[in-house]
Amino acid sequence: MWSEIFMPSIEQGLAFSIMAMGVYITFRVLKFSDLTVDGSFPLGGAVAAILITKGTDPWLATIIAFGCGCIAGCITGILNTKGNINELLSGILTMTALYSVNLRIMGKSNIGLLDQKNVFSPIENMGIDSKYMYLFLFIILVFALKFIMDWFLSTKLGLALRATGNNAQMIRSLGVNTELMKILGLGLSNGLIALSGALVAQYQGFADIGMGLGTIVAGLASVIIGEMLIGGTKLSTITFSIILGSFVYRMCITIALRLGLNSTDLKLLTSVLVIITLVVPQVKDKVKLSLNN
C-alpha cells in the first residue's frame, strides 16, 4: 500500500515542488501573472531529453535545460518591461512561441528516455534500493534548492526582488532598476520550472509536447495549499510549505485516481482544489468577523 500510493506521491510531489517554487517567485514575490510556465516546463523536458539522447551527460543536459528556461522567462520580462506588453499577454505570447520551439527541439511530439542514462543512474551504483532511488535524489535536490532559494531571497539582490513585487515605486526611488529585477525574477522562476520539467522527463522516462498543459494551475494549487496548511511569513517556512503543498496536491490526485476518477477529469479536480483553498480562508474570516460582531 505504501509503495503504491505514498511513494509515487512523495516522489512526484518533490519533483513538481521545484516547479511550484518557480511559480511562487512570479505570483507571490513579483506579483506577476506569468503564463510562460506552461511552455517553459516542457521546454526543460525537451532540451534535457534531446541532449541525453545525443549522448550529453544527464547532469549537464539538466543544467542546460535550466538555462533555457531562464532565457524563456527573460523574454517574457523583456516583452513586458521593454515592449510595454501586458503581463498576461507577454506570458501568453512566449508560451505560444515555446510550443513551436519545443516541437522544433524534439523533432517530434514525444521522446522516450527509458533506455537512456539519466541523473538517477549513478544512484543505482550506490547500493540504494531501487524503490528509494528516486526519493533519495529528489530529497537532496529539492531541499538543496530550498536552502539556496532561502539564502538568495535574503541577500540584497533578493530583497530588492521582493521589494519590487511589494512596492515597486518605493524601491525605484532608492535607485533600484525594477525592470531589471522583474526580468531577473522571471528568468529565475522559469529556470526552476524548466529544471523541474527536465527532472520529471527523466523520472517518467519520456518528454512530451503536452507535458506542460495545466502546469500553472498545478503550481498555484501547490503554493495555495501549502499556505493554507502552514501559513506564516518566515521565508524558510514559506518554501517548506510549498514542498508540502506539492506533496498534498499529488496525494489528492493519486487518491482520486485510486477511487476511480478518470484521468481526463484531473484538470477539473485541480481547479476545484484551487477554488476550495481560495474560498475556505475567506469564509473562515467572514465567520470570525460575524462572531466577533
Side-chain angles (χ1 to χ4, degrees), residues 199-239:
L199 292 172
V200 168
Q202 294 172 72
Y203 168 72
Q204 64 188 12
F206 67 91
D208 187 83
I209 190 64
M211 64 187 289
L213 184 63
T215 303
I216 181 61
V217 180
L220 279 173
S222 301
V223 172
I224 295 169
I225 291 172
E227 290 175 343
M228 186 182 72
L229 292 175
I230 296 182
T233 57
K234 190 176 180 181
L235 189 58
S236 58
T237 304
I238 292 172
T239 50

Side-chain angles (χ1 to χ4, degrees), residues 1 5 30 65 192 215 218 232 234 245 255 258 282 285:
M1 191 69 170
I5 297 180
L30 283 178
L192 287 172
T215 303
K234 190 176 180 181
I255 292 174
R258 299 284 295 186
Q282 297 181 46
D285 290 340

Side-chain angles (χ1 to χ4, degrees), residues 42-141:
L43 172 65
V47 171
I50 195 65
L51 288 176
I52 289 173
T53 55
K54 297 295 183 182
T56 305
D57 178 79
W59 282 107
L60 178 58
T62 304
I63 293 172
I64 293 174
F66 169 80
C68 291
C70 290
I71 293 172
C74 288
I75 290 173
T76 298
I78 291 171
L79 289 175
N80 175 248
T81 58
K82 305 301 181 182
N84 295 319
I85 299 176
N86 176 272
E87 291 181 2
L88 285 172
L89 184 55
S90 59
I92 290 171
L93 288 171
T94 307
M95 176 188 69
T96 304
L98 283 175
Y99 183 86
S100 295
V101 171
N102 294 338
L103 273 176
R104 178 71 68 173
I105 290 172
M106 293 194 294
K108 51 185 177 180
S109 61
N110 186 290
I111 295 180
L113 294 171
L114 291 175
D115 58 342
Q116 302 289 333
K117 288 185 177 180
N118 54 49
V119 294
F120 305 100
S121 299
I123 307 295
E124 298 177 11
N125 303 321
M126 296 175 62
I128 297 175
D129 192 324
S130 59
K131 291 190 297 183
Y132 303 106
M133 179 178 66
Y134 297 110
L135 180 63
F136 178 77
L137 184 58
F138 277 138
I139 288 175
I140 294 175
L141 282 175

Side-chain angles (χ1 to χ4, degrees), residues 131-166:
K131 291 190 297 183
Y132 303 106
M133 179 178 66
Y134 297 110
L135 180 63
F136 178 77
L137 184 58
F138 277 138
I139 288 175
I140 294 175
L141 282 175
V142 169
F143 280 92
L145 287 170
K146 170 197 159 27
F147 291 127
I148 291 172
M149 186 170 165
D150 291 344
W151 167 79
F152 172 74
L153 292 177
S154 299
T155 63
K156 288 184 178 179
L157 183 60
L159 289 171
L161 188 68
R162 293 159 66 184
T164 299
N166 287 330

Side-chain angles (χ1 to χ4, degrees), residues 171-288:
I171 197 67
R172 195 182 299 117
S173 67
L174 297 176
V176 175
N177 187 333
T178 54
E179 290 188 351
L180 182 60
M181 288 297 102
K182 191 175 288 188
I183 294 171
L184 172 66
L186 285 164
L188 178 60
S189 168
N190 284 279
L192 287 172
I193 292 163
L195 174 62
S196 178
L199 292 172
V200 168
Q202 294 172 72
Y203 168 72
Q204 64 188 12
F206 67 91
D208 187 83
I209 190 64
M211 64 187 289
L213 184 63
T215 303
I216 181 61
V217 180
L220 279 173
S222 301
V223 172
I224 295 169
I225 291 172
E227 290 175 343
M228 186 182 72
L229 292 175
I230 296 182
T233 57
K234 190 176 180 181
L235 189 58
S236 58
T237 304
I238 292 172
T239 50
F240 179 76
S241 74
I242 295 170
I243 298 172
L244 178 62
S246 180
F247 162 68
V248 172
Y249 168 72
R250 291 294 155 185
M251 180 63 73
C252 291
I253 296 295
T254 301
I255 292 174
L257 289 173
R258 299 284 295 186
L259 292 175
L261 187 72
N262 293 329
S263 59
T264 53
D265 297 328
L266 291 181
K267 302 305 178 185
L268 174 61
L269 175 62
T270 299
S271 298
V272 171
L273 283 173
V274 173
I275 292 170
I276 291 173
T277 52
L278 286 173
V279 172
V280 168
Q282 297 181 46
V283 173
K284 288 172 64 178
D285 290 340
K286 289 182 179 180
V287 170
K288 286 181 180 179

